[in-house]
Short mmCIF file of all heavy atoms in Angstrom, two decimals:
data_model
loop_
_atom_site.label_atom_id
_atom_site.label_comp_id
_atom_site.label_asym_id
_atom_site.label_seq_id
_atom_site.Cartn_x
_atom_site.Cartn_y
_atom_site.Cartn_z
N GLU A 210 -12.95 1.42 -10.10
CA GLU A 210 -13.07 1.39 -11.57
C GLU A 210 -12.97 -0.03 -12.09
O GLU A 210 -13.72 -0.43 -12.98
CB GLU A 210 -12.02 2.30 -12.21
CG GLU A 210 -12.32 3.77 -12.08
CD GLU A 210 -12.09 4.35 -10.69
OE1 GLU A 210 -11.46 3.69 -9.83
OE2 GLU A 210 -12.55 5.46 -10.43
N TYR A 211 -12.04 -0.80 -11.55
CA TYR A 211 -11.90 -2.20 -11.97
C TYR A 211 -13.18 -2.98 -11.63
O TYR A 211 -13.70 -3.72 -12.44
CB TYR A 211 -10.73 -2.88 -11.24
CG TYR A 211 -9.37 -2.44 -11.68
CD1 TYR A 211 -8.66 -1.48 -10.95
CD2 TYR A 211 -8.76 -2.98 -12.81
CE1 TYR A 211 -7.38 -1.08 -11.33
CE2 TYR A 211 -7.50 -2.59 -13.20
CZ TYR A 211 -6.81 -1.66 -12.46
OH TYR A 211 -5.56 -1.26 -12.83
N LEU A 212 -13.66 -2.82 -10.41
CA LEU A 212 -14.80 -3.58 -9.96
C LEU A 212 -16.07 -3.20 -10.74
O LEU A 212 -16.88 -4.06 -11.09
CB LEU A 212 -15.03 -3.38 -8.46
CG LEU A 212 -13.88 -3.83 -7.56
CD1 LEU A 212 -14.22 -3.52 -6.11
CD2 LEU A 212 -13.55 -5.28 -7.76
N PHE A 213 -16.21 -1.93 -11.00
CA PHE A 213 -17.38 -1.46 -11.76
C PHE A 213 -17.39 -2.07 -13.15
O PHE A 213 -18.42 -2.47 -13.67
CB PHE A 213 -17.38 0.05 -11.84
CG PHE A 213 -18.66 0.63 -12.37
CD1 PHE A 213 -19.85 0.48 -11.67
CD2 PHE A 213 -18.69 1.31 -13.57
CE1 PHE A 213 -21.04 0.98 -12.16
CE2 PHE A 213 -19.86 1.83 -14.06
CZ PHE A 213 -21.05 1.67 -13.35
N ASP A 214 -16.20 -2.21 -13.78
CA ASP A 214 -16.10 -2.85 -15.08
C ASP A 214 -16.63 -4.29 -15.03
O ASP A 214 -17.28 -4.75 -15.96
CB ASP A 214 -14.67 -2.86 -15.60
CG ASP A 214 -14.20 -1.49 -16.07
OD1 ASP A 214 -15.04 -0.58 -16.27
OD2 ASP A 214 -12.98 -1.32 -16.23
N TYR A 215 -16.36 -5.00 -13.95
CA TYR A 215 -16.83 -6.38 -13.83
C TYR A 215 -18.34 -6.45 -13.68
O TYR A 215 -18.97 -7.42 -14.11
CB TYR A 215 -16.18 -7.08 -12.64
CG TYR A 215 -14.69 -7.25 -12.80
CD1 TYR A 215 -13.86 -7.15 -11.70
CD2 TYR A 215 -14.10 -7.48 -14.04
CE1 TYR A 215 -12.48 -7.31 -11.83
CE2 TYR A 215 -12.74 -7.63 -14.17
CZ TYR A 215 -11.93 -7.53 -13.07
OH TYR A 215 -10.58 -7.66 -13.20
N VAL A 216 -18.94 -5.45 -13.07
CA VAL A 216 -20.40 -5.42 -12.96
C VAL A 216 -21.01 -5.27 -14.35
O VAL A 216 -22.00 -5.90 -14.69
CB VAL A 216 -20.86 -4.27 -12.03
CG1 VAL A 216 -22.37 -4.08 -12.12
CG2 VAL A 216 -20.46 -4.55 -10.59
N LEU A 217 -20.39 -4.45 -15.19
CA LEU A 217 -20.93 -4.13 -16.50
C LEU A 217 -20.59 -5.15 -17.58
O LEU A 217 -21.36 -5.31 -18.54
CB LEU A 217 -20.43 -2.74 -16.95
CG LEU A 217 -20.89 -1.57 -16.11
CD1 LEU A 217 -20.28 -0.28 -16.63
CD2 LEU A 217 -22.40 -1.47 -16.11
N SER A 218 -19.44 -5.81 -17.48
CA SER A 218 -19.00 -6.67 -18.55
C SER A 218 -18.95 -8.12 -18.13
O SER A 218 -18.14 -8.52 -17.29
CB SER A 218 -17.59 -6.24 -19.01
OG SER A 218 -17.08 -7.19 -19.91
N GLU A 219 -19.81 -8.96 -18.68
CA GLU A 219 -19.83 -10.37 -18.36
C GLU A 219 -18.62 -11.10 -18.94
O GLU A 219 -18.17 -12.09 -18.38
CB GLU A 219 -21.12 -11.02 -18.88
CG GLU A 219 -22.34 -10.62 -18.14
CD GLU A 219 -23.57 -11.33 -18.64
OE1 GLU A 219 -23.47 -12.49 -19.03
OE2 GLU A 219 -24.65 -10.70 -18.64
N GLU A 220 -18.13 -10.65 -20.06
CA GLU A 220 -17.09 -11.37 -20.79
C GLU A 220 -15.75 -11.43 -20.08
O GLU A 220 -15.01 -12.39 -20.23
CB GLU A 220 -16.91 -10.75 -22.18
CG GLU A 220 -18.11 -10.92 -23.05
CD GLU A 220 -17.98 -10.18 -24.38
OE1 GLU A 220 -16.87 -9.69 -24.67
OE2 GLU A 220 -18.98 -10.10 -25.08
N GLU A 221 -15.39 -10.42 -19.33
CA GLU A 221 -14.05 -10.37 -18.74
C GLU A 221 -14.06 -10.56 -17.23
O GLU A 221 -13.06 -10.28 -16.58
CB GLU A 221 -13.39 -9.04 -19.11
CG GLU A 221 -13.18 -8.93 -20.60
CD GLU A 221 -12.43 -7.67 -20.99
OE1 GLU A 221 -11.67 -7.13 -20.16
OE2 GLU A 221 -12.63 -7.23 -22.13
N ARG A 222 -15.12 -11.11 -16.69
CA ARG A 222 -15.18 -11.32 -15.25
C ARG A 222 -14.31 -12.48 -14.82
O ARG A 222 -14.36 -13.55 -15.40
CB ARG A 222 -16.62 -11.63 -14.83
CG ARG A 222 -17.54 -10.47 -14.86
CD ARG A 222 -18.91 -10.86 -14.38
NE ARG A 222 -19.83 -9.77 -14.62
CZ ARG A 222 -21.13 -9.93 -14.79
NH1 ARG A 222 -21.67 -11.13 -14.75
NH2 ARG A 222 -21.90 -8.88 -15.01
N PRO A 223 -13.55 -12.28 -13.76
CA PRO A 223 -12.80 -13.41 -13.19
C PRO A 223 -13.75 -14.26 -12.33
O PRO A 223 -14.85 -13.83 -11.98
CB PRO A 223 -11.76 -12.72 -12.31
CG PRO A 223 -12.43 -11.44 -11.89
CD PRO A 223 -13.30 -11.03 -13.06
N GLU A 224 -13.30 -15.45 -11.99
CA GLU A 224 -14.07 -16.31 -11.08
C GLU A 224 -13.94 -15.79 -9.65
O GLU A 224 -14.87 -15.93 -8.86
CB GLU A 224 -13.58 -17.74 -11.17
CG GLU A 224 -13.81 -18.37 -12.52
CD GLU A 224 -13.09 -19.70 -12.68
OE1 GLU A 224 -12.57 -20.25 -11.67
OE2 GLU A 224 -13.03 -20.18 -13.81
N SER A 225 -12.77 -15.24 -9.31
CA SER A 225 -12.50 -14.78 -7.96
C SER A 225 -11.78 -13.45 -7.97
O SER A 225 -11.02 -13.17 -8.90
CB SER A 225 -11.59 -15.77 -7.22
OG SER A 225 -12.20 -17.03 -7.13
N ILE A 226 -12.02 -12.69 -6.93
CA ILE A 226 -11.28 -11.43 -6.69
C ILE A 226 -10.73 -11.49 -5.28
O ILE A 226 -11.47 -11.83 -4.34
CB ILE A 226 -12.21 -10.21 -6.86
CG1 ILE A 226 -12.66 -10.06 -8.29
CG2 ILE A 226 -11.48 -8.94 -6.38
CD1 ILE A 226 -13.67 -8.95 -8.51
N ILE A 227 -9.47 -11.16 -5.15
CA ILE A 227 -8.85 -11.02 -3.83
C ILE A 227 -8.45 -9.56 -3.68
O ILE A 227 -7.72 -9.02 -4.51
CB ILE A 227 -7.63 -11.94 -3.67
CG1 ILE A 227 -8.03 -13.42 -3.90
CG2 ILE A 227 -6.96 -11.73 -2.31
CD1 ILE A 227 -6.82 -14.37 -3.97
N ILE A 228 -8.95 -8.93 -2.63
CA ILE A 228 -8.63 -7.54 -2.32
C ILE A 228 -7.69 -7.52 -1.14
O ILE A 228 -7.95 -8.19 -0.13
CB ILE A 228 -9.92 -6.75 -1.95
CG1 ILE A 228 -10.98 -6.83 -3.02
CG2 ILE A 228 -9.58 -5.33 -1.54
CD1 ILE A 228 -10.79 -5.93 -4.19
N ILE A 229 -6.60 -6.79 -1.27
CA ILE A 229 -5.68 -6.62 -0.13
C ILE A 229 -5.74 -5.17 0.28
O ILE A 229 -5.55 -4.27 -0.55
CB ILE A 229 -4.23 -6.99 -0.51
CG1 ILE A 229 -4.13 -8.41 -1.05
CG2 ILE A 229 -3.31 -6.86 0.70
CD1 ILE A 229 -3.80 -8.46 -2.46
N ASP A 230 -6.00 -4.93 1.56
CA ASP A 230 -6.14 -3.54 2.01
C ASP A 230 -5.76 -3.42 3.47
O ASP A 230 -5.81 -4.40 4.25
CB ASP A 230 -7.58 -3.07 1.83
CG ASP A 230 -7.69 -1.56 1.73
OD1 ASP A 230 -6.68 -0.85 1.76
OD2 ASP A 230 -8.82 -1.07 1.59
N ALA A 231 -5.38 -2.23 3.85
CA ALA A 231 -5.09 -1.90 5.24
C ALA A 231 -6.40 -1.50 5.93
O ALA A 231 -7.22 -0.82 5.33
CB ALA A 231 -4.11 -0.74 5.31
N VAL A 232 -6.58 -1.97 7.17
CA VAL A 232 -7.79 -1.65 7.92
C VAL A 232 -7.41 -1.25 9.34
O VAL A 232 -6.29 -1.48 9.80
CB VAL A 232 -8.77 -2.84 7.97
CG1 VAL A 232 -9.26 -3.21 6.58
CG2 VAL A 232 -8.15 -4.05 8.65
N ASP A 233 -8.37 -0.69 10.03
CA ASP A 233 -8.20 -0.36 11.44
C ASP A 233 -9.39 -0.92 12.18
O ASP A 233 -10.44 -0.29 12.27
CB ASP A 233 -8.09 1.15 11.62
CG ASP A 233 -7.69 1.54 13.03
OD1 ASP A 233 -7.39 0.63 13.83
OD2 ASP A 233 -7.68 2.73 13.34
N PHE A 234 -9.25 -2.15 12.69
CA PHE A 234 -10.32 -2.83 13.41
C PHE A 234 -9.98 -2.87 14.91
O PHE A 234 -8.84 -3.12 15.27
CB PHE A 234 -10.48 -4.27 12.93
CG PHE A 234 -11.38 -4.44 11.75
CD1 PHE A 234 -11.72 -3.42 10.90
CD2 PHE A 234 -11.94 -5.70 11.51
CE1 PHE A 234 -12.56 -3.60 9.82
CE2 PHE A 234 -12.79 -5.89 10.43
CZ PHE A 234 -13.10 -4.87 9.59
N GLU A 235 -10.98 -2.67 15.72
CA GLU A 235 -10.81 -2.76 17.16
C GLU A 235 -10.45 -4.19 17.54
O GLU A 235 -10.95 -5.14 16.93
CB GLU A 235 -12.15 -2.41 17.84
CG GLU A 235 -12.00 -1.40 18.95
CD GLU A 235 -13.34 -1.01 19.49
OE1 GLU A 235 -13.81 -1.67 20.44
OE2 GLU A 235 -13.93 -0.05 18.96
N GLY A 236 -9.57 -4.34 18.51
CA GLY A 236 -9.23 -5.66 18.99
C GLY A 236 -8.15 -6.37 18.20
O GLY A 236 -7.77 -7.50 18.52
N LYS A 237 -7.63 -5.75 17.17
CA LYS A 237 -6.56 -6.33 16.37
C LYS A 237 -5.24 -5.65 16.72
O LYS A 237 -5.21 -4.48 17.14
CB LYS A 237 -6.81 -6.18 14.87
CG LYS A 237 -8.06 -6.89 14.38
CD LYS A 237 -7.85 -8.38 14.38
CE LYS A 237 -9.05 -9.10 13.78
NZ LYS A 237 -8.91 -10.54 13.84
N THR A 238 -4.15 -6.38 16.54
CA THR A 238 -2.81 -5.86 16.82
C THR A 238 -2.18 -5.41 15.51
O THR A 238 -2.34 -6.08 14.48
CB THR A 238 -1.96 -7.02 17.43
OG1 THR A 238 -2.62 -7.47 18.62
CG2 THR A 238 -0.57 -6.53 17.76
N PRO A 239 -1.45 -4.27 15.53
CA PRO A 239 -0.79 -3.83 14.30
C PRO A 239 0.02 -4.95 13.66
O PRO A 239 0.77 -5.65 14.34
CB PRO A 239 0.09 -2.69 14.76
CG PRO A 239 -0.65 -2.12 15.93
CD PRO A 239 -1.23 -3.32 16.63
N GLY A 240 -0.19 -5.14 12.36
CA GLY A 240 0.50 -6.18 11.62
C GLY A 240 -0.30 -7.47 11.51
O GLY A 240 0.10 -8.38 10.77
N ASP A 241 -1.42 -7.59 12.24
CA ASP A 241 -2.27 -8.78 12.09
C ASP A 241 -2.76 -8.85 10.65
O ASP A 241 -3.13 -7.83 10.06
CB ASP A 241 -3.49 -8.74 13.00
CG ASP A 241 -3.20 -9.08 14.45
OD1 ASP A 241 -2.07 -9.51 14.74
OD2 ASP A 241 -4.09 -8.89 15.29
N VAL A 242 -2.77 -10.05 10.07
CA VAL A 242 -3.30 -10.28 8.73
C VAL A 242 -4.45 -11.27 8.89
O VAL A 242 -4.30 -12.32 9.52
CB VAL A 242 -2.22 -10.87 7.80
CG1 VAL A 242 -2.81 -11.18 6.43
CG2 VAL A 242 -1.06 -9.88 7.65
N PHE A 243 -5.59 -10.90 8.33
CA PHE A 243 -6.78 -11.75 8.50
C PHE A 243 -7.69 -11.61 7.30
O PHE A 243 -7.64 -10.65 6.56
CB PHE A 243 -7.51 -11.41 9.80
CG PHE A 243 -7.76 -9.95 10.01
CD1 PHE A 243 -9.01 -9.40 9.72
CD2 PHE A 243 -6.76 -9.11 10.49
CE1 PHE A 243 -9.25 -8.05 9.92
CE2 PHE A 243 -7.00 -7.75 10.70
CZ PHE A 243 -8.22 -7.23 10.41
#
Side-chain angles (χ1 to χ4, degrees):
E210 285 75 12
Y211 289 99
L212 299 178
F213 191 65
D214 286 345
Y215 296 144
V216 170
L217 295 178
S218 172
E219 289 183 35
E220 294 174 9
E221 296 184 25
R222 287 182 189 154
E224 295 169 12
S225 300
I226 294 175
I227 301 171
I228 304 280
I229 303 112
D230 203 2
V232 297
D233 189 7
F234 272 21
E235 230 175 90
K237 296 289 184 184
T238 301
D241 283 352
V242 176
F243 49 100

